[in-house]
């Protein structure tokens, strides 16, 4: 129940006090927040100067937090080939503890998903080192954007758990709910920025939630699509149509906050040394499954596009009890072939709605 | 606490102790970790694989063809297929490569206990089965009869010849066939399925282990099923492209399963639930 908050405690932060609070945080943490840049784009960016940075909480940022926790390309090791051997030394970049401020519900859910991916079977040292010591300050979404459908993926517009602090914009003030222990500690330490909310504030939060829920313009039947996938009743022509339309650009995977497939490659520096790099990859790329010698075990016509949607809406549901699409709508805006996940859901459900 | 995470992607150095040329395309590399203590403590199970690093070539998954009952070295039997394996074929004894692993779900050795085992392989497909065959021979009393059927392109392509001789000496029924004969070959010519003719396995105590190219794989499955083998009685190991080996990068996806952690060993019963190229019509 969104209004019966699972969060431990609530406080009030006047908007006038926000910069003061962030200034304190920035002394001890690297601060990352959605910032409107000089071109007018909103992007999660590292903030070095709070006075000039235009923090934008009302518009979803174009990027997600993926690039901060799983960089598009990261160096895992340097290697040396000598007469004595072939030695790998881990690259240990120091990652300052980071506060991610103003994280929308979809992106917050995506981080929680990545936490599972990179620690479920094996603990991924590179991801966890970046994630370790980070603080997530979420913001509930009062005004979902036209492509948003987190209401259909169970990841918004308001979330009840997962962040360290969870904000709701109430006009001239934020209702701040404390989640995990680090969030509670921050509020306690910087008590002077916070006051006690009244019942009216809590009522206003509930009102904001109700209004946000009513503002979604898209109806995306994710549950039905999941059912079609788990019962293997997506018509063959849907796969064929989407495969035909997919331009193999990988834009969806690039922007997707939960697309975490990667490749590992060597970059030779000279005859005796090089770097081992991990980079983002996309399951829709033709070469993703190609084996040495060129044989590809994935069905050439529709295999790749099946994998994309089955993974997010079937396999991850089986594994985690929920889809790994968080309804952020980024792929909807980016896909010029019309092969985004909303198109898939619509086509998969055609005839049953 | 964060410091104690094992680095799952870090290769360890291993020295090439010996190279056995199996045929013009396949060699078996006998390897030992340079860290002697680690080498002695290293354990694996038949059916598991290693991620092999070669300078400037990245990594590739290679199944282990040796047997844990013979500790001290690891054997990797490698067919020249891409640039990494081509580089491996340039290796000389004393050279160093990178290894991490072992990874993957092994063959269920407990389930094989007291069973008659029928191994059917084509080409490099004998490599992972060799690990099981030698494990069975080293604990002979635990298993029933052992039969190896092996198909090669031509007589000069027949790999693991030293093993075949050894296996025959130890009472294994070992039958070979080739797609095309050469001068001096008086054995059978034709698909490996032909070697199944005349076999009368005791179906209530038999398990078949298959590994080979997709076409062979399908033909053998059909034959075994016609002979009365149930899908639970057929085991295989799948080959896929892999980058991480630990279930994260997803290059080895198989209709919801990942070959690296859910496999590479599967029963046919498990594979029947999956839409995969090997079982496509």
């Amino acid at each position: 129940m969104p209004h019966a908050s699972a969060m431990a405690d609530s406080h009030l932060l006047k908007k006038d006090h926000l910069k003061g609070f962030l200034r304190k945080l920035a002394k001890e943490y690297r601060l990352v927040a959605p910032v409107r840049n000089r071109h007018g784009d909103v992007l999660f960016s590292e903030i070095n100067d709070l006075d000039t940075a235009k923090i934008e909480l009302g518009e979803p940022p174009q990027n997600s937090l993926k690039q901060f926790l799983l960089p598009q390309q990261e160096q895992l090791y340097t290697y040396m080939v000598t007469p004595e051997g072939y030695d790998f030394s881990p690259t240990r970049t120091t990652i300052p503890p980071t506060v991610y401020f103003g994280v929308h519900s979809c992106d917050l859910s995506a981080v929680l998903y990545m936490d599972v991916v990179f620690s479920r079977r094996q603990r991924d040292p590179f991801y966890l080192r970046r994630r370790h010591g980070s603080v997530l300050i979420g913001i509930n979404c009062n005004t979902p954007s036209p492509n948003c459908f987190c209401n259909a993926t169970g990841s918004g517009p308001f979330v009840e758990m997962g962040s360290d602090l969870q904000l709701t914009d109430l006009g001239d003030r934020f209702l701040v709910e404390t989640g995990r222990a680090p969030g509670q500690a921050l509020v306690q330490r910087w008590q002077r920025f916070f006051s006690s909310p009244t019942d009216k504030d809590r009522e206003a939060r509930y009102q904001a939630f109700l209004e946000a829920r009513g503002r979604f313009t898209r109806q995306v039947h994710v549950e039905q699509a999941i059912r079609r996938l788990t019962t293997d009743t997506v018509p063959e022509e849907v796969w064929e149509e989407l495969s035909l339309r997919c331009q193999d650009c990988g834009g969806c995977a690039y922007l997707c906050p939960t697309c975490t497939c990667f490749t590992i490659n060597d970059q030779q520096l000279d005859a005796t040394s090089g770097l081992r790099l991990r980079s983002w990859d996309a399951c829709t790329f033709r070469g993703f499954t190609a084996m040495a010698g060129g044989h590809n075990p994935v069905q050439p016509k529709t295999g790749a596009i099946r994998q994309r949607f089955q993974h997010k809406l079937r396999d991850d549901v089986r594994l985690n009890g929920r889809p790994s699409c968080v309804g952020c709508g980024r792929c909807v805006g980016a896909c010029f072939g019309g092969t985004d996940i909303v198109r898939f859901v619509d086509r998969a459900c055609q005839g049953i709605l | 606490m964060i410091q104690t995470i094992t680095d799952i992607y870090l290769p360890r150095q291993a020295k090439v102790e010996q190279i056995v040329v199996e045929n013009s395309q396949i060699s078996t590399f006998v390897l030992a970790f340079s860290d002697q203590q680690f080498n002695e403590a290293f354990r694996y199970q038949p059916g598991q694989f290693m991620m092999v690093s070669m300078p400037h070539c990245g990594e590739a998954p290679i199944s282990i063809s040796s047997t844990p009952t013979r500790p001290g070295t690891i054997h990797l039997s490698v067919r020249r297929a891409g640039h990494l394996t081509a580089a491996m074929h340039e290796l000389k004894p004393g050279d160093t490569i990178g290894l991490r692993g072992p990874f993957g779900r092994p063959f269920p050795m407990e389930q094989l206990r007291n069973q008659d085992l029928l191994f059917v392989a084509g080409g490099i497909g004998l490599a992972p089965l060799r690990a099981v065959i030698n494990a069975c021979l080293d604990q002979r009393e635990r298993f029933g009869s052992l039969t190896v059927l092996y198909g090669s392109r031509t007589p000069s392509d027949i790999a693991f010849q030293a093993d075949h001789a050894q296996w025959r000496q130890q009472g294994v029924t070992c039958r070979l066939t080739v797609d095309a004969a050469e001068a001096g070959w008086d054995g059978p010519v034709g698909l490996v399925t032909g070697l199944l003719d005349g076999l009368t396995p005791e179906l209530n105590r038999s398990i078949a282990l298959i590994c080979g190219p997709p076409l062979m794989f399908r033909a053998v499955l059909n034959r075994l099923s016609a002979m009365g083998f149930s899908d639970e009685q057929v085991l295989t190991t799948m080959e896929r492209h892999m980058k991480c080996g630990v279930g994260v990068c997803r290059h080895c996806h198989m209709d919801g399963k990942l070959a690296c952690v859910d496999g590479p060993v599967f029963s046919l019963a498990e594979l029947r639930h999956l839409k995969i190229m090997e079982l496509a019509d």
Side-chain angles (χ1 to χ4, degrees):
Chain A
M1 294 292 287
H3 57 290
S5 175
M7 296 249 170
D9 215 353
S10 58
H11 309 269
L12 214 59
L13 174 66
K14 290 202 171 128
K15 282 193 175 169
D16 291 345
H17 291 165
L18 176 63
K19 283 240 161 138
F21 176 53
L22 291 179
R23 223 180 292 282
K24 292 294 180 196
L25 295 184
K27 288 204 166 133
E28 287 164 31
Y29 292 92
R30 176 174 72 142
L31 185 61
V32 171
V35 170
R36 190 178 295 283
N37 67 17
R38 61 198 171 91
H39 307 293
D41 298 321
V42 178
L43 292 163
F44 272 116
S45 317
E46 185 176 342
I47 295 179
N48 296 313
D49 182 1
L50 266 166
D51 293 323
T52 55
K54 290 185 200 142
I55 295 178
E56 175 59 72
L57 297 176
E59 188 181 317
Q62 294 178 19
N63 58 349
S64 68
L65 293 185
K66 180 167 76 174
Q67 71 185 69
F68 296 92
L69 297 167
L70 179 72
Q72 187 181 2
Q73 185 169 78
E74 79 183 306
Q75 189 179 314
L76 304 183
Y77 311 101
T78 52
Y79 62 83
M80 293 286 294
V81 190
T82 63
E84 292 76 45
Y86 171 34
D87 196 30
F88 286 82
S89 15
T91 307
R92 292 258 186 267
T93 36
T94 7
I95 295 110
T98 304
V99 167
Y100 297 101
F101 176 79
V103 184
H104 287 238
S105 304
C106 51
D107 289 335
L108 183 68
S109 304
V111 172
L112 302 181
Y113 168 77
M114 287 196 287
D115 288 349
V116 173
V117 168
F118 290 107
S119 58
R120 182 199 294 124
R121 292 189 173 104
Q122 298 269 1
R123 292 163 64 73
D124 187 296
F126 297 92
Y127 175 87
L128 292 175
R129 210 173 293 129
R130 288 196 154 78
R131 180 73 169 91
H132 183 68
S134 61
V135 175
L136 293 169
I137 302 183
I139 177 125
N140 287 322
C141 266
N142 287 350
T143 50
S145 293
N147 286 337
C148 291
F149 59 101
C150 62
N151 57 338
T153 51
S155 38
F158 280 39
V159 290
E160 299 300 329
M161 57 177 88
S163 59
D164 295 290
L165 291 176
Q166 187 68 20
L167 273 53
T168 307
D169 191 332
L170 301 179
D172 60 345
R173 64 206 188 281
F174 295 106
L175 187 77
V176 181
E177 292 159 289
T178 52
R180 294 166 57 246
Q184 293 171 25
L186 285 183
V187 171
Q188 250 164 32
R189 177 146 176 223
W190 305 110
Q191 259 172 4
R192 64 182 136 120
F193 295 109
F194 298 89
S195 54
S196 292
T198 62
D199 284 349
K200 229 177 99 188
D201 297 315
R202 292 194 189 87
E203 181 54 35
R205 178 200 182 276
Y206 184 50
Q207 200 57 41
F209 164 68
L210 290 180
E211 284 170 20
R213 224 173 40 166
R215 285 203 180 103
F216 285 90
T217 49
R218 280 178 183 273
Q219 263 220 314
V220 186
H221 300 280
V222 174
E223 282 300 324
Q224 279 90 334
I226 290 172
R227 209 165 307 133
R228 283 232 136 167
L229 283 167
T230 47
T231 53
D232 196 17
T233 50
V234 176
E236 193 59 32
E237 60 263 28
V238 171
W239 296 121
E240 285 171 13
E241 176 198 311
L242 294 176
S243 295
L244 204 64
R245 298 188 66 112
C246 175
Q247 301 302 303
D248 210 7
C249 73
C252 52
Y254 180 96
L255 288 170
C256 178
T258 64
C259 269
T260 50
C261 291
F262 58 78
T263 186
I264 298 175
N265 284 310
D266 285 354
Q267 183 185 314
Q268 182 171 356
L269 294 179
D270 53 47
T272 58
S273 72
L275 310 172
R276 179 152 290 176
L277 305 170
R278 165 157 83 177
S279 325
W280 293 352
D281 207 340
C283 59
T284 49
F285 289 155
R286 297 272 179 272
F288 189 76
T289 46
M291 296 194 284
H295 174 67
N296 197 331
V298 165
Q299 205 258 341
K301 214 163 153 197
T302 61
I305 208 87
R306 266 179 206 272
Q307 166 61 20
R308 174 164 184 77
F309 298 124
Q310 281 182 353
H311 176 211
K312 288 196 186 297
L313 299 180
R314 185 195 69 178
D315 305 338
D316 275 336
V317 173
R318 281 180 188 155
L319 214 52
N320 306 322
R322 48 168 307 156
S324 53
C325 171
V326 292
C328 72
R330 288 187 178 94
C331 60
V332 182
C335 182
F336 58 90
T339 327
D340 56 83
I341 202 157
V342 168
R343 174 81 69 128
F344 166 74
V345 170
D346 286 350
R347 292 291 284 115
C349 297
Q350 219 159 50
I352 56 167
L353 294 170
Chain B
M1 57 191 213
I2 200 86
Q3 289 79 4
T4 61
I5 302 175
T6 323
D7 191 342
I8 48 175
Y9 301 111
L10 181 66
R12 284 173 177 274
Q13 297 188 48
K15 200 145 259 174
V16 179
E17 305 233 309
Q18 194 195 337
I19 300 170
V20 181
V21 177
E22 306 283 5
N23 67 22
S24 64
Q25 300 300 311
I26 301 173
S27 284
T28 296
F29 299 86
V30 180
L31 301 152
F33 287 102
S34 306
D35 179 343
Q36 210 173 338
Q37 216 175 346
F38 182 85
N39 195 58
E40 276 163 25
F42 183 74
R43 294 289 177 274
Y44 63 94
Q45 296 172 68
Q48 291 193 295
F49 65 92
M50 302 295 291
M51 293 299 288
V52 176
S53 284
M54 288 294 294
H56 319 305
C57 295
E59 289 183 292
I62 306 283
S63 59
I64 304 173
S65 60
S66 54
T67 296
T69 45
R70 302 172 191 183
T73 57
I74 314 157
H75 294 199
L76 300 176
S77 300
V78 182
R79 185 171 65 92
R80 201 190 297 263
H83 71 298
L84 185 141
T85 50
M88 285 187 82
H89 280 258
E90 302 297 313
L91 286 168
K92 294 178 294 298
D95 286 348
T96 306
I97 68 169
L99 288 181
R100 57 188 182 95
F103 298 123
R105 183 171 67 153
F107 281 102
M109 296 304 286
E110 274 308 303
Q111 193 195 321
L112 304 187
R113 241 180 144 139
N114 300 321
Q115 302 289 306
D116 291 340
L117 302 180
L118 173 61
F119 299 89
V120 189
I124 187 67
L126 191 52
L129 300 187
R130 178 186 190 249
V132 184
I133 297 165
N134 284 331
C136 294
L137 287 172
D138 288 348
Q139 305 153 297
R140 193 66 196 86
E141 70 293 345
R142 291 193 187 176
F143 304 93
S145 70
L146 303 177
T147 305
V148 176
L149 310 180
Y150 183 47
S152 307
R153 276 182 198 154
T154 68
S156 31
D157 288 322
I158 297 171
F160 307 104
Q161 299 210 20
D163 290 295
H164 304 157
Q166 183 72 39
W167 295 341
R168 284 197 181 103
Q169 267 183 20
Q170 292 181 265
V172 177
T173 308
C174 189
R175 297 164 75 176
L176 312 179
T177 185
V178 295
D179 295 342
E182 285 166 350
W185 175 256
D186 57 0
V189 176
L191 296 177
V192 75
T193 43
L195 297 179
L196 287 163
D197 291 339
L199 282 189
T200 50
E202 285 189 52
L203 286 172
N204 59 350
R205 48 165 298 164
S206 286
I207 288 185
L209 299 88
I210 316 173
C211 189
L215 274 176
M216 179 221 107
F217 179 72
R218 248 172 292 171
V220 172
L221 291 189
N222 292 339
R223 259 323 285 287
L224 289 176
S225 132
M227 288 167 75
F229 276 86
S230 72
D231 289 351
E232 286 76 17
Q233 286 172 286
V234 179
L235 303 175
T236 187
T237 169
M238 307 302 281
E239 194 184 4
R240 286 292 185 276
H241 184 48
M242 293 178 191
K243 286 294 184 180
C244 73
V246 293
V248 197
C249 80
R250 299 194 70 89
H251 285 261
C252 64
H253 67 75
M254 295 173 50
D255 194 18
K257 299 280 179 200
L258 296 174
C260 66
V261 285
D262 297 313
V265 172
F266 291 94
S267 73
L268 181 56
E270 291 169 318
L271 293 180
R272 290 280 189 215
H273 298 291
L274 309 178
K275 280 198 180 71
I276 50 169
M277 176 269 301
E278 285 85 348
L279 295 179
D281 307 320

